[in-house]
């Protein structure tokens, strides 16, 4: 089942630095490349991508 609303972390992401968001996004990419594809990590990465897109950074 896919989430239809943003996670509670979305509000937290709005106060984080762009560099911090990019670093976490890259970390999840590395984890996924090594075969770790948990739904939680995918959802977190989607939240990060949405915030970076909102800032015009992705």
């Amino acid at each position: 089942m896919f989430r239809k609303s943003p996670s509670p972390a979305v509000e937290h992401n709005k106060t984080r630095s762009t560099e911090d968001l990019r670093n976490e996004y890259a970390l999840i990419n590395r984890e996924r490349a090594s075969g770790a594809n948990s739904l939680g990590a995918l959802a977190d990465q989607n939240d990060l991508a949405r915030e970076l897109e909102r800032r015009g950074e992705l």
Side-chain angles (χ1 to χ4, degrees):
M1 176 73 62
F2 292 100
R3 230 181 26 212
K4 295 186 192 259
S5 62
S7 73
V10 170
E11 283 303 313
H12 174 66
N13 286 343
K14 291 180 180 179
T15 61
R16 294 171 63 189
S17 72
T18 298
E19 187 65 26
D20 188 35
L21 294 174
R22 285 181 184 212
N23 287 339
E24 187 171 349
Y25 187 88
L27 174 64
I28 294 171
N29 267 345
R30 286 193 300 273
E31 289 173 350
R32 289 178 64 194
S34 69
N37 287 315
S38 75
L39 290 177
L42 293 172
D44 290 345
Q45 191 173 38
N46 286 339
D47 290 342
L48 293 167
R50 281 187 203 98
E51 179 59 22
L52 289 167
E53 285 175 348
R54 187 185 73 78
R55 296 179 187 191
E57 297 289 332
L58 188 65

